[in-house]
Coordinates of all heavy atoms in Angstrom, one line a residue:
Q1107 N 105.3 113.3 92.9 CA 106.0 112.1 93.6 C 105.5 110.8 93.0 O 104.4 110.9 92.3 CB 105.7 112.2 95.1 CG 104.3 112.0 95.5 CD 104.1 112.1 97.0 OE1 104.8 112.8 97.7 NE2 103.1 111.4 97.5
P1108 N 106.1 109.7 93.2 CA 105.6 108.5 92.6 C 104.2 108.2 93.2 O 104.0 108.2 94.4 CB 106.6 107.4 93.1 CG 107.9 108.2 93.3 CD 107.5 109.6 93.8
P1109 N 103.2 108.0 92.3 CA 101.8 107.9 92.8 C 101.5 106.5 93.3 O 100.5 106.4 94.1 CB 101.0 108.2 91.5 CG 101.9 107.9 90.4 CD 103.3 108.1 90.8
F1110 N 102.3 105.5 93.0 CA 102.0 104.1 93.4 C 103.2 103.5 94.2 O 104.3 103.9 94.0 CB 101.6 103.3 92.2 CG 100.5 103.9 91.4 CD1 100.9 104.4 90.1 CD2 99.2 103.9 91.8 CE1 99.9 105.0 89.3 CE2 98.2 104.5 91.0 CZ 98.6 105.0 89.7
V1111 N 102.9 102.5 95.0 CA 103.9 101.7 95.6 C 103.8 100.3 95.1 O 102.8 99.8 94.6 CB 103.8 101.8 97.2 CG1 104.0 103.2 97.7 CG2 102.5 101.2 97.7
N1112 N 104.9 99.5 95.3 CA 105.0 98.2 94.8 C 103.9 97.3 95.4 O 103.6 97.4 96.6 CB 106.3 97.5 95.1 CG 107.4 98.1 94.3 OD1 107.2 98.9 93.3 ND2 108.7 97.7 94.5
G1113 N 103.3 96.5 94.6 CA 102.2 95.6 95.0 C 100.8 96.1 94.8 O 99.9 95.3 94.9
Q1114 N 100.6 97.4 94.6 CA 99.3 97.9 94.4 C 98.7 97.4 93.1 O 99.4 97.2 92.1 CB 99.3 99.4 94.5 CG 99.6 99.9 95.9 CD 99.4 101.4 96.0 OE1 99.8 102.2 95.1 NE2 99.0 101.9 97.2
L1115 N 97.4 97.3 93.1 CA 96.6 96.8 91.9 C 96.0 97.9 91.1 O 94.9 98.4 91.4 CB 95.5 95.8 92.4 CG 95.9 94.8 93.5 CD1 94.8 93.9 93.8 CD2 97.1 94.0 92.9
I1116 N 96.8 98.4 90.2 CA 96.4 99.6 89.4 C 95.3 99.2 88.4 O 95.2 98.1 88.0 CB 97.6 100.3 88.7 CG1 98.3 99.3 87.8 CG2 98.5 100.9 89.8 CD1 99.4 100.0 87.0
D1117 N 94.5 100.2 87.9 CA 93.5 100.1 86.9 C 93.9 100.9 85.7 O 94.3 102.1 85.8 CB 92.2 100.5 87.4 CG 91.6 99.5 88.3 OD1 91.2 98.4 87.9 OD2 91.4 99.9 89.5
I1118 N 93.8 100.3 84.5 CA 94.0 101.0 83.2 C 92.7 101.1 82.5 O 92.0 100.2 82.4 CB 95.1 100.3 82.4 CG1 96.4 100.2 83.1 CG2 95.3 101.1 81.1 CD1 97.1 101.5 83.5
S1119 N 92.4 102.3 82.0 CA 91.2 102.5 81.2 C 91.4 103.4 80.0 O 92.5 104.1 79.9 CB 90.1 103.2 82.1 OG 90.6 104.4 82.6
G1120 N 90.5 103.3 79.0 CA 90.6 104.2 77.9 C 91.4 103.7 76.7 O 91.7 104.4 75.8
L1121 N 91.9 102.4 76.8 CA 92.7 101.8 75.7 C 92.0 100.5 75.2 O 90.8 100.3 75.5 CB 94.1 101.4 76.3 CG 94.9 102.6 76.7 CD1 96.2 102.2 77.4 CD2 95.3 103.5 75.6
S1122 N 92.7 99.7 74.4 CA 92.1 98.5 73.9 C 92.0 97.5 75.0 O 92.5 97.6 76.1 CB 93.0 97.9 72.7 OG 94.2 97.4 73.3
S1123 N 91.3 96.3 74.7 CA 91.1 95.3 75.7 C 92.3 94.7 76.2 O 92.3 94.1 77.3 CB 90.1 94.2 75.1 OG 90.7 93.7 74.0
T1124 N 93.4 94.7 75.5 CA 94.7 94.1 76.0 C 95.2 94.9 77.1 O 95.7 94.3 78.1 CB 95.7 94.0 74.8 OG1 95.2 93.3 73.7 CG2 97.0 93.4 75.3
Y1125 N 95.2 96.2 77.1 CA 95.8 97.0 78.1 C 94.8 97.4 79.2 O 95.2 97.5 80.4 CB 96.4 98.3 77.6 CG 97.6 98.1 76.8 CD1 97.6 98.1 75.4 CD2 98.8 97.9 77.4 CE1 98.7 97.9 74.6 CE2 100.0 97.7 76.6 CZ 100.0 97.7 75.3 OH 101.1 97.5 74.5
N1126 N 93.5 97.5 78.9 CA 92.5 97.9 79.9 C 92.4 96.8 81.0 O 92.5 95.6 80.8 CB 91.1 98.1 79.3 CG 91.0 99.4 78.6 OD1 91.8 100.3 78.8 ND2 90.0 99.6 77.8
G1127 N 92.0 97.3 82.2 CA 91.7 96.3 83.3 C 92.6 96.5 84.5 O 93.3 97.5 84.6
N1128 N 92.4 95.6 85.5 CA 93.1 95.7 86.8 C 94.3 94.8 86.7 O 94.3 93.7 86.3 CB 92.1 95.2 87.9 CG 92.8 95.2 89.2 OD1 93.3 94.3 89.7 ND2 92.7 96.4 89.9
Y1129 N 95.4 95.4 87.1 CA 96.7 94.7 87.1 C 97.1 94.1 88.5 O 97.8 94.7 89.2 CB 97.8 95.6 86.6 CG 97.7 95.8 85.1 CD1 96.7 96.6 84.5 CD2 98.6 95.2 84.3 CE1 96.6 96.7 83.2 CE2 98.6 95.4 82.9 CZ 97.5 96.1 82.3 OH 97.4 96.3 81.0
G1130 N 96.4 93.0 88.7 CA 96.7 92.3 90.0 C 96.0 91.0 90.1 O 94.9 90.9 89.6
P1131 N 96.6 90.1 90.8 CA 98.0 90.1 91.1 C 98.9 89.9 89.9 O 98.3 89.4 88.9 CB 98.1 88.9 92.1 CG 97.0 88.0 91.7 CD 95.9 88.8 91.2
I1132 N 100.0 90.4 89.8 CA 101.0 90.7 90.8 C 101.0 92.2 91.1 O 101.3 92.5 92.3 CB 102.4 90.3 90.2 CG1 102.5 88.8 89.9 CG2 103.6 90.8 91.0 CD1 103.7 88.3 89.2
G1133 N 100.7 93.0 90.2 CA 100.5 94.5 90.5 C 101.8 95.2 90.2 O 102.7 94.8 89.4
V1134 N 101.9 96.4 90.8 CA 103.1 97.3 90.6 C 104.4 96.7 91.0 O 104.5 96.1 92.1 CB 102.8 98.6 91.3 CG1 104.1 99.5 91.2 CG2 101.6 99.3 90.7
V1135 N 105.4 96.7 90.2 CA 106.7 96.3 90.5 C 107.7 97.4 90.5 O 108.8 97.3 91.1 CB 107.2 95.2 89.6 CG1 106.4 93.9 89.8 CG2 107.3 95.6 88.1
S1136 N 107.4 98.6 90.0 CA 108.3 99.7 89.9 C 107.4 101.0 89.6 O 106.5 100.9 88.8 CB 109.4 99.6 88.9 OG 110.2 100.7 88.8
C1137 N 107.8 102.1 90.3 CA 107.0 103.3 90.0 C 108.0 104.5 90.3 O 108.7 104.6 91.3 CB 105.8 103.5 90.8 SG 104.8 104.9 90.4
S1138 N 108.0 105.5 89.4 CA 108.7 106.7 89.5 C 107.7 107.9 89.2 O 106.5 107.7 89.2 CB 109.9 106.8 88.5 OG 109.4 106.9 87.2
T1139 N 108.3 109.1 89.1 CA 107.4 110.2 88.8 C 107.0 110.3 87.4 O 106.1 111.1 87.0 CB 108.1 111.5 89.2 OG1 109.4 111.6 88.4 CG2 108.4 111.6 90.7
T1140 N 107.6 109.4 86.5 CA 107.3 109.5 85.1 C 106.6 108.2 84.5 O 106.1 108.3 83.4 CB 108.6 109.8 84.3 OG1 109.5 108.7 84.5 CG2 109.1 111.1 84.6
Q1141 N 106.7 107.1 85.3 CA 106.1 105.9 84.7 C 105.8 104.9 85.9 O 106.4 105.0 87.0 CB 107.0 105.2 83.7 CG 108.3 104.7 84.3 CD 109.3 104.1 83.3 OE1 109.2 104.4 82.1 NE2 110.1 103.2 83.8
V1142 N 105.0 103.9 85.6 CA 104.7 102.8 86.5 C 104.8 101.5 85.7 O 104.4 101.4 84.5 CB 103.3 102.9 87.2 CG1 102.2 103.0 86.1 CG2 103.1 101.8 88.1

Side-chain angles (χ1 to χ4, degrees):
Q1107 62 182 31
F1110 308 105
V1111 299
N1112 288 355
Q1114 289 186 327
L1115 313 182
I1116 58 174
D1117 287 292
I1118 302 296
S1119 59
L1121 297 172
S1122 73
S1123 58
T1124 300
Y1125 288 102
N1126 279 349
N1128 181 266
Y1129 283 73
I1132 298 171
V1134 173
V1135 295
S1136 174
C1137 185
S1138 68
T1139 58
T1140 59
Q1141 67 179 23
V1142 59

